Amino acid sequence: MSDGNNVAKIEGGKMTLLEWIKWLFGGGKKPPVPVPPPKPPIPGGDGLLYLHNAERQRLGRMSLTTDYRLTIMAQEHTQQMAAKGQLNHDNFVQRLEASGYVYSSAEENATVTLTNDPNAAWANWVESPKHYANAVNPDMRDVGFGSAYSTRDGQTYWCAVYGAPR
């Protein structure tokens, strides 16, 4: 059960959505009792993965795999951008290193849309040569997505973090 703030209620305590994602993928603390499956954590995340991998397949490139550390990183950054109402790539390397993902190279895409539609985010990235190059970079193997609605400006902020493991 959610209290509307992306917090899953657990008998005697709470676990944030990001703590649940860490726990689900084997990182972070275990919840005190089993947690019912929450709603998908990233609206459009599966859609973005499908869109990325369909294009990569069309180009004969390896599909991306979702990595929980990159997903948490992308979601936290997206929430910060939405709270400020501003796109940025601030402290990318520091955020990446703090995530615990061990990488040889990494990239980040960010965009803002008027709707909560992954197709709109994908379209923005495809229209930008730099963002498109990040999305189809054959060296990248892992990805994490984030999206957050901004009450400041009524738009949805999106982030994709791509990684090539070391």
Side-chain angles (χ1 to χ4, degrees), residues 73-108:
M73 179 186 161
Q75 185 61 32
E76 288 175 343
H77 186 58
T78 304
Q79 289 170 334
Q80 291 168 353
M81 290 189 297
K84 293 178 183 176
Q86 178 182 17
L87 282 176
N88 67 68
H89 296 287
D90 294 349
N91 305 310
F92 176 66
V93 173
Q94 293 88 344
R95 290 185 286 112
L96 187 59
E97 290 175 357
S99 76
Y101 183 80
V102 181
Y103 63 98
S104 59
S105 64
E107 298 289 345
E108 179 178 67

Side-chain angles (χ1 to χ4, degrees), residues 21-63:
I21 292 169
K22 286 179 186 177
W23 170 80
L24 181 67
F25 288 97
K29 63 184 180 186
K30 276 192 160 183
V33 294
V35 178
K39 296 176 185 173
I42 311 305
D46 288 342
L48 280 173
L49 183 63
Y50 172 81
L51 292 165
H52 277 75
N53 285 337
E55 181 66 4
R56 292 171 69 90
Q57 182 179 20
R58 187 183 74 77
L59 298 172
R61 300 190 178 155
M62 186 179 226
S63 292

